[in-house]
Amino acid sequence: MNGESMEKVIQHILSKEMKDVLMVQTSALKAIHDYMWKHEILQLMPVMLSSVTDPLSHSVYDSSITYAGQKLELTKSMILHKQMSMMRGDLKGIYIISPNIRLEKEHLGETGRHLLEFSQVDIELRDAKYKDFMGFTEGLYSYIFKFVKKKCKEELASLERKIKVPKKPFKIYESAMELKVEYGSSFDLELSKKEKDLFWVMDHYREFYDREDPVTKRHVNYDLVYPEGFGEALSGGERETDYATIIRKMGERKTDLEKYKSYIEISKRGLLKPTAGGGFGVERLVRFLTGRKHIRDISLFPRVPGEEIVL
Ligand code: AMP
Ligand code: MG
């Protein structure tokens, strides 16, 4: 660390617009909690250390640690724990505001959307189909936008940001697979630049836990994408519950079965219940609501891939 980088960090913490950003963030979080309360969705506390975590569908640097001889993973997302909490069967749904550690490759620092450490609002709904979760999320986003627009008039004016409450239902693109052929691998970003409102993209080839329809072979999952070039907001899907299917999909993805043995055991016992869910990053939401260029601009202590962490 040199004097110049320390100076930059101090100026960042003291920056004029940070208070407005924090007010928008706090209002958005209040709206999220209120919406969950209204829908009787219960909040879990996050876990940060576990024997299993999200395998993710892209590669990151290893962040495992050893404690008392046991290798533990730092949480990449709480997807597997969400599924395991829902085996109770008496919860209508759950949510967690969960710190995620993903040691992303350095080049992602330039996207403006990636941090090494961020907070995910992770939701799972019992007996839900994709349409139920999408409807629930559209309601949630409309509620957040309305609330922030009403409560943060002054802050939004000084940030020079106008919030438009999204009209429901959101537009749906049915096939990520086809979009990839037409627009290339960053199809969501290309569409995000063109679209004026939030929209969905369905049917992504992803991790073993997203359900695949055995008849149509479609991946019953979705991404929600912000307009104006802000890119991905949320990912989720209906979940796979069948042991044999999970094992087959793990095989196709070359998953290390030994690493996931506790999760596999739960599925083998038939304890996984049909659910659908998804998760969105708090920082990406706040970046969109405040219209800032880089996710760094809305984080008081940003951990940007490839950058030194001074404080
Ligand atoms: P994923 O399951 O990888 O799609 O992550 C769920 C959500 O978390 C994404 O839709 C983003 O909103 C957010 N997210 C994922 N990775 C990052 C990151 N490196 N930095 C900030 N937010 C992220
Ligand atoms: Mg995603």
Side-chain angles (χ1 to χ4, degrees):
M1 191 257 306
N2 57 32
E4 200 183 327
S5 42
M6 177 56 95
E7 189 55 33
K8 253 169 83 178
V9 170
I10 294 171
Q11 287 317 316
H12 179 75
I13 294 172
L14 300 179
S15 72
K16 194 172 146 285
E17 63 180 39
M18 195 55 86
K19 184 171 172 216
D20 295 331
V21 168
L22 290 175
M23 183 61 191
V24 169
Q25 176 167 285
T26 305
S27 306
L29 288 168
K30 169 152 175 58
I32 292 165
H33 288 301
D34 288 352
Y35 188 84
M36 299 297 176
W37 177 260
K38 229 171 50 188
H39 287 82
E40 297 167 29
I41 307 300
L42 303 187
Q43 184 178 10
L44 305 187
M45 289 296 114
V47 292
M48 286 302 292
L49 292 172
S50 20
S51 61
V52 284
T53 190
D54 194 335
L56 300 179
S57 56
H58 68 289
S59 91
V60 292
Y61 291 116
D62 179 37
S63 61
S64 57
I65 64 155
T66 304
Y67 173 70
Q70 187 185 4
K71 194 169 168 201
L72 295 171
E73 298 284 341
L74 298 183
T75 298
K76 292 191 174 82
S77 93
M78 280 190 57
I79 172 62
L80 305 178
H81 291 82
K82 285 198 302 180
Q83 269 197 294
M84 291 188 280
S85 69
M86 294 303 283
M87 69 186 181
R88 285 188 59 86
D90 59 357
L91 303 171
K92 191 175 161 197
I94 51 105
Y95 76 108
I96 312 140
I97 301 192
S98 152
N100 288 190
I101 303 282
R102 299 184 184 180
L103 302 182
E104 309 276 12
K105 297 289 162 71
E106 291 86 340
H107 70 276
L108 292 177
E110 286 166 19
T111 65
R113 298 186 304 280
H114 290 87
L115 294 168
L116 303 177
E117 196 182 321
F118 65 96
S119 299
Q120 188 175 168
V121 179
D122 226 333
I123 309 161
E124 203 68 18
L125 305 179
R126 188 183 75 210
D127 290 330
K129 297 287 182 203
Y130 70 94
K131 280 191 179 155
D132 303 317
F133 185 82
M134 288 161 76
F136 179 87
T137 302
E138 292 184 6
L140 170 63
Y141 264 75
S142 302
Y143 188 80
I144 298 168
F145 281 40
K146 246 184 247 164
F147 188 82
V148 170
K149 194 174 169 162
K150 191 166 149 206
K151 295 289 175 192
C152 301
K153 283 203 180 81
E154 280 174 28
E155 291 80 4
L156 291 169
S158 78
L159 292 164
E160 296 180 26
R161 179 67 169 165
K162 280 203 170 68
I163 291 183
K164 198 168 100 196
V165 177
K167 268 205 204 76
K168 295 181 282 187
F170 301 173
K171 181 171 176 179
I172 299 176
Y173 287 91
E174 290 292 341
S175 169
M177 315 294 245
E178 283 168 20
L179 290 172
K180 211 174 221 172
V181 176
E182 196 180 338
Y183 292 94
S185 59
S186 43
F187 59 87
D188 52 345
L189 206 56
E190 293 309 313
L191 290 174
S192 171
K193 288 176 194 159
K194 279 195 351 197
E195 292 292 343
K196 300 273 175 284
D197 281 307
L198 280 150
F199 62 94
W200 295 101
V201 181
M202 313 281 301
D203 192 9
H204 305 255
Y205 177 86
R206 276 203 295 245
E207 299 87 340
F208 59 79
Y209 50 75
D210 278 2
R211 197 173 81 83
E212 211 177 82
D213 188 302
V215 179
T216 63
K217 301 291 175 209
R218 276 172 65 83
H219 310 97
V220 193
N221 60 19
Y222 33 77
D223 269 7
L224 180 66
V225 187
Y226 294 115
E228 302 172 45
F230 281 84
E232 181 191 321
L234 166 148
S235 292
E238 288 182 18
R239 307 308 179 191
E240 212 64 82
T241 55
D242 176 56
Y243 168 68
T245 310
I246 291 174
I247 293 292
R248 171 183 56 82
K249 289 172 77 178
M250 284 182 161
E252 287 164 5
R253 287 158 181 78
K254 311 217 178 332
T255 308
D256 177 356
L257 299 190
E258 179 60 23
K259 211 168 149 184
Y260 287 88
K261 63 175 192 254
S262 53
Y263 176 80
I264 291 171
E265 177 64 23
I266 297 281
S267 80
K268 193 174 182 178
R269 292 184 187 204
L271 292 169
L272 297 177
K273 298 259 189 320
T275 59
F280 59 94
V282 173
E283 294 82 356
R284 287 193 188 182
L285 170 67
V286 175
R287 174 180 172 235
F288 181 72
L289 289 170
T290 57
R292 298 301 95 173
K293 198 164 168 322
H294 198 286
I295 198 162
R296 168 199 297 113
D297 304 333
I298 61 90
S299 312
L300 200 58
F301 301 107
R303 277 82 173 92
V304 179
E307 292 185 9
E308 183 189 12
I309 298 174
V310 177
L311 284 180

